[in-house]
């Protein structure tokens, strides 16, 4: 068996068996290295050489985590939750249809903002969603629809907009790994490459809103209890500092193309202003790094895994064999590569970690089959994003479930995983394949 195929298979099977992803990646890398004839010492050396390539992304995540905790300390997230709840309550007289639309708009807008303007990822969900469960129950709003809205907001911005988490996914991971694997993407506009796949995500959201979950679904409001608005005790000065920090971080990441500098500048503003007390700054920073530590370690380990795969020399063998088997059929090749990406991302639960694994294999194969650089970026990006929605282990599904199941009336698998899988992976697969074929 080809060493690369064996390594990916071992990693995927172990991940699906709920072995920790970092452990699964290490075991898969060692398996591939030994089968590829490297020997244990050379395998470990290649693995260690690759670890540094994931350090930039890991550091970006760590600083974003610290920045997110500092934002939470300022009370801004509570204010957002309070205002959203107040807005919903103030429009109660407008009728259920209007109120449902307003709820969906608020939740979707906050979810989208959490990936770029207010880069706190899923941290807003436990603050905003549980207080709204009573309102959702009174409106008979299907929580499966809310899960789809939240998941759309957590995924689509990072796979299309190169800002915040999107800057990490698109620039630091996608373009960097495609370049590392041999493709020249210097002139590629990543938004053009990922435009059609993002449109597929939008189509899935519209289907969920206007067709699949438009009918009422009844919940036991007595078990929820009427939630009051979150009373915010934050000082106006703290909120002003938070806004200044967010704007500064946003401008710097656009200007310098560095999420690290942007997040660091934002955290420094919180510390110097006193919103985060100087004696607490170390604890806040550490808390934020802990929050993002697992994702960072997965990214570093995935980079080591990919380096071992390159060192075995088995990638070219796999590419040659696959090209011969496919027989130059670009349509079939694109479909198969997207499906494999879906399986890998669902197995490890992170689209960010999938790219280093698949780019080392897909880029040489796509180049041999004659795909353009733009199509290759669309192929690798879509293959990685596939499965983020619908993976039981993904933050994009675990986050919504954590908020919607606060009263025990929302099942993770059947009410979040299955709906998001059907509404997003199917159109993303179709639109991603179309993008690869036409670009």
């Amino acid at each position: 068996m080809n060493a690369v195929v064996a390594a990916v298979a071992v990693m995927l099977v172990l991940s699906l068996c709920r072995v920790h992803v970092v452990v699964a990646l290490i075991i898969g890398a060692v398996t591939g290295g030994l089968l590829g004839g490297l020997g244990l010492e050379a395998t470990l050396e290649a693995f260690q050489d690759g670890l540094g390539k994931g350090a930039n992304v890991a550091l970006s995540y760590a600083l974003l985590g610290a920045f997110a905790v500092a934002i939470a300390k300022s009370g801004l997230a509570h204010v957002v939750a309070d205002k959203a709840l107040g807005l919903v309550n103030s429009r109660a007289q407008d009728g259920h249809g209007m109120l449902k639309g307003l709820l969906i708009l608020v939740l979707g807008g906050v979810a989208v903002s959490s990936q770029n303007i207010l880069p706190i990822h899923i941290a807003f969900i436990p603050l905003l969603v549980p207080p709204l469960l009573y309102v959702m129950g009174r409106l008979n709003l299907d929580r499966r629809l809310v899960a789809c809205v939240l998941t759309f907001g957590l995924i689509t911005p990072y796979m299309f907009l190169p800002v915040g988490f999107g800057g990490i996914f698109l620039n630091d991971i996608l373009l960097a790994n495609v370049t590392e694997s041999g493709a020249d993407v210097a002139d590629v506009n990543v938004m053009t490459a990922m435009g059609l796949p993002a449109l597929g995500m939008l189509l899935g959201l519209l289907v969920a809103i206007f067709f699949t979950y438009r009918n009422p679904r009844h919940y036991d409001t007595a078990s929820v209890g009427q939630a009051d608005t979150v009373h915010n005790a934050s000082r106006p000065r703290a909120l002003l500092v938070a806004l200044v920090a967010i704007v500064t971080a946003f401008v710097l990441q656009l200007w310098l193309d560095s999420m690290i500098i942007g997040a660091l500048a934002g955290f420094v503003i919180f510390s110097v202003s006193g919103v985060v007390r100087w004696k607490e700054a170390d604890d806040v920073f550490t808390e934020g790094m802990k929050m993002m530590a697992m994702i960072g370690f997965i990214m570093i380990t995935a980079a080591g895994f990919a380096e071992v795969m390159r060192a075995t020399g088995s990638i070219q063998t796999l590419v040659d064999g696959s090209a011969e088997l496919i027989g130059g059929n670009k349509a079939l090749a694109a479909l198969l590569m997207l499906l494999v990406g879906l399986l890998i991302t669902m197995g490890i639960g992170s689209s960010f970690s999938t790219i280093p694994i698949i780019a080392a294999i897909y880029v040489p194969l796509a180049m041999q089959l004659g795909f353009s650089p733009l199509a290759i970026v669309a192929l690798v990006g879509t293959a990685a994003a596939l499965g983020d929605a619908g993976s039981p282990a993904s933050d994009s599904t675990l986050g919504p479930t954590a908020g919607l199941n606060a009263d025990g009336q929302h099942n993770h698998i059947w009410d979040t995983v299955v709906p998001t899988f059907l509404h997003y992976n199917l159109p993303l697969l179709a639109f991603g394949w179309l993008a690869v074929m036409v670009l």
Side-chain angles (χ1 to χ4, degrees), residues 49-340:
D49 289 342
L51 295 180
K53 296 178 181 178
N56 181 59
V57 175
L59 183 58
S60 297
Y61 262 97
L63 289 170
L64 274 177
F67 187 40
V69 172
I71 291 173
K73 289 284 185 182
S74 73
L76 182 61
H78 287 280
V79 172
V80 172
D82 193 25
K83 295 296 183 184
L85 204 58
L87 182 62
V88 168
N89 290 335
S90 68
R91 301 296 295 271
Q93 72 277 8
D94 292 344
H96 283 190
M98 180 71 73
L99 200 52
K100 283 183 180 180
L102 181 61
L103 253 179
I104 291 170
L105 189 62
V106 167
L107 290 170
V110 175
V112 169
S113 301
S114 72
Q115 303 302 298
N116 37 66
I117 299 174
L118 190 67
I120 58 175
H121 197 36
I122 62 174
F124 75 93
I125 292 177
L127 293 173
L128 180 60
V129 174
L132 292 173
L133 290 181
Y134 180 79
V135 178
M136 295 179 197
R138 290 290 302 272
L139 295 174
N140 296 323
L141 178 63
D142 197 326
R143 294 186 192 178
R144 293 172 295 181
L145 170 58
V146 178
C148 288
V149 170
L150 292 173
T151 300
F152 173 86
L154 293 172
I155 295 176
T156 309
Y158 80 66
M159 61 176 281
F160 179 63
L161 299 173
V163 180
F165 287 102
I168 297 174
F169 181 80
L170 296 172
N171 295 329
D172 297 345
I173 302 178
L174 177 56
L175 293 182
N177 278 274
V178 170
T179 302
E180 177 76 18
S181 299
D184 182 8
V185 294
D187 297 325
V188 168
N189 186 321
V190 72
M191 293 182 67
T192 302
M194 297 302 294
L196 274 175
L199 190 60
M201 294 288 291
L202 179 60
L203 176 62
L205 174 65
L206 294 177
V207 169
I209 293 174
F210 294 108
F211 295 98
T212 315
Y213 303 123
R214 62 180 299 180
N215 294 325
R217 194 181 193 196
H218 300 284
Y219 295 91
D220 180 14
T221 54
S223 67
V224 181
Q226 185 162 5
D228 296 323
T229 57
V230 178
H231 295 293
N232 177 63
S234 298
R235 296 165 297 167
R237 177 178 173 277
L239 300 180
L240 179 61
V241 170
L243 291 175
V244 171
I246 290 168
V247 171
T248 301
F250 188 74
V251 170
L252 283 178
Q253 66 171 303
L254 290 178
W255 178 35
L256 300 175
D257 195 22
S258 173
M259 193 65 239
I260 293 175
I261 299 300
L264 180 60
F267 186 84
V268 168
I269 289 173
F270 277 117
S271 299
V272 172
S273 66
V275 172
V276 174
R277 295 178 183 176
W278 193 256
K279 62 181 181 180
E280 298 176 350
D282 186 57
D283 291 336
V284 171
F285 197 89
T286 302
E287 183 183 345
M289 292 183 70
K290 285 180 180 178
M291 184 173 68
M292 293 296 190
M294 188 181 76
I295 299 175
F297 278 119
I298 292 174
M299 290 304 311
I300 291 173
T301 311
F305 179 97
E307 189 62 27
V308 173
M309 297 305 99
R310 294 188 185 98
T312 62
S314 298
I315 292 178
Q316 190 58 47
T317 304
L318 177 62
V319 168
D320 293 339
S322 300
E324 183 178 347
L325 180 64
I326 294 169
N329 189 332
K330 296 171 70 173
L332 177 61
L335 179 61
L336 291 177
M337 286 190 277
L338 290 172
L339 288 173
V340 170

Side-chain angles (χ1 to χ4, degrees), residues 330-405:
K330 296 171 70 173
L332 177 61
L335 179 61
L336 291 177
M337 286 190 277
L338 290 172
L339 288 173
V340 170
L342 169 64
L343 290 175
I344 293 175
T345 302
M346 288 199 67
I348 65 179
S350 170
S351 56
F352 286 67
S353 303
T354 298
I355 289 179
I357 299 169
I358 64 174
I361 307 168
Y362 285 14
V363 173
L365 178 57
M367 291 174 65
Q368 187 157 328
L369 290 170
F371 287 105
S372 69
L374 197 60
I376 292 174
V377 172
L379 173 64
V380 177
T382 305
L386 273 166
D388 196 358
S391 170
S394 169
D395 286 349
S396 302
T397 58
L398 289 170
T401 296
L404 293 169
N405 194 41

